[in-house]
Amino acid sequence: MSQNKYALVTGGSRGIGRAVCLKMAELGYGVIINYKGNKDAAEETAEAVRALNQPAEILCFDVADRDEVKEILGGWMEANKDKVVEVLINNAGVRSDALLPMMSDEQWDNVLGISLQGMYNVTKVALTPMVLNRYGRIINMVSLSGLKGMPGQVNYSAAKAGVIGATKALAQEVARRNITVNAIAPGFIKTDMTADLDEKELVNMIPAKRFGTAQEVADLTGFLASKNAGYITGQVISINGGLYS
Ligand code: NAP
């Protein structure tokens, strides 16, 4: 593949995002690794991408900050007109759980700002070149919570359900341009995000009796990002060890 073809992974420094960055490199893409605060982790991901003989670029921006996204991501695209971002993985996300009466306005705004507004902010900048190029793959990392709702996660469930609606609508807008838009809905995956959960207790309700791995999510992401997945669009694919969704 041409060295000018890139995949942009938001929240690529750690967890699922890092595994996805490596998968994109395996597919032959250069990788743009976005992160917000964890520079060392982003640099480790970049090293791992380069070890697979693909170029890696690190872009630090807060996906929730529209001006910053325009300035840093838009600026990179403007300065690198010879490079084309063919794949966008909207992966950055946080959870900040509380029952609704105890949830602060900041918890609501922060979770919606990163997952839902973040998807809008980044996709808005990345989409026009894909449309002009008449090719693209957009994959939004959502959650089982966005499909069934989870108590204690009204903010997170709303954010992910919002992204699912946007995925289905955008898929129909851009299908004729050879751009697919899909969502991946993981159940419980072993990352920093789930490190505080009682895994021993929770596995009892998962038919597969274990948490999933970031690698398993990356493998699915890799398929949806591939040319072979060109007729799959507007879908939400669950990866959850059989948890009813
Ligand atoms: P994680 O290990 O906590 O990593 C989160 C990533 O998001 C980090 O790279 C972090 O960057 C980045 N990030 C956070 N806020 C950001 C912001 N405002 N702007 C840019 N980047 C930001 O999480 P994960 O488990 O890999 O989750 C990845 C995605 O999968 C999320 O959307 C999550 O909701 C979803 N998901 C996860 C699970 C699960 O069980 N783990 C289940 C369902 C869905 P820094 O390193 O700079 O902080």
Side-chain angles (χ1 to χ4, degrees):
M1 189 180 288
S2 144
Q3 286 301 292
N4 288 335
K5 293 188 174 181
Y6 276 74
L8 163 60
V9 183
T10 69
S13 46
R14 291 182 285 129
I16 292 171
R18 172 181 288 176
V20 168
C21 287
L22 300 185
K23 177 55 69 177
M24 293 302 120
E26 278 173 24
L27 288 181
Y29 283 107
V31 186
I32 305 168
I33 301 153
N34 155 256
Y35 75 104
K36 185 185 170 201
N38 207 326
K39 190 170 181 220
D40 290 349
E43 276 169 1
E44 264 179 51
T45 306
E47 277 314 303
V49 167
R50 290 181 193 121
L52 293 169
N53 291 319
Q54 292 300 334
E57 307 257 357
I58 297 175
L59 292 186
C60 177
F61 58 82
D62 178 351
V63 295
D65 184 331
R66 193 164 299 154
D67 292 338
E68 202 173 287
V69 174
K70 281 185 192 158
E71 186 190 322
I72 295 176
L73 177 59
W76 186 89
M77 292 176 109
E78 193 60 33
N80 291 277
K81 287 220 162 97
D82 57 321
K83 296 178 179 146
V84 42
V85 178
E86 276 199 348
V87 180
L88 165 62
I89 320 284
N90 285 307
N91 167 77
V94 294
R95 46 176 271 261
S96 184
D97 302 349
L99 295 172
L100 193 66
M102 269 81 84
M103 186 178 288
S104 67
D105 292 348
E106 289 72 27
Q107 282 178 296
W108 173 265
D109 291 343
N110 190 35
V111 170
L112 272 283
I114 294 170
S115 274
L116 184 57
Q117 311 277 20
M119 183 275 305
Y120 168 79
N121 295 340
V122 176
T123 306
K124 197 77 195 295
V125 173
L127 184 65
T128 304
M130 286 185 191
V131 170
L132 294 173
N133 197 34
R134 291 183 170 265
Y135 184 83
R137 296 277 184 266
I138 299 174
I139 297 157
N140 298 321
M141 213 50 80
V142 295
S143 171
L144 176 66
S145 306
L147 287 168
K148 75 183 280 280
M150 289 284 267
Q153 293 194 320
V154 171
N155 51 358
Y156 187 80
S157 304
K160 297 301 194 184
V163 174
I164 289 171
T167 300
K168 293 178 179 179
L170 182 60
Q172 295 172 66
E173 288 188 12
V174 296
R176 71 174 65 179
R177 306 279 172 179
N178 226 0
I179 299 169
T180 65
V181 189
N182 290 292
I184 291 178
F188 292 100
I189 308 298
K190 235 175 146 62
T191 67
D192 293 346
M193 184 178 274
T194 50
D196 63 329
L197 301 181
D198 186 347
E199 187 176 343
K200 279 204 178 78
E201 182 62 34
L202 287 166
V203 291
N204 291 321
M205 66 178 194
I206 304 171
K209 298 289 172 222
R210 65 174 179 86
F211 278 17
T213 65
Q215 185 60 50
E216 287 170 315
V217 180
D219 286 339
L220 172 58
T221 309
F223 177 66
L224 289 177
S226 73
K227 298 245 170 1
N228 293 347
Y231 205 53
I232 302 173
T233 197
Q235 301 304 306
V236 185
I237 317 278
S238 289
I239 173 162
N240 60 27
L243 266 176
Y244 180 69
S245 56

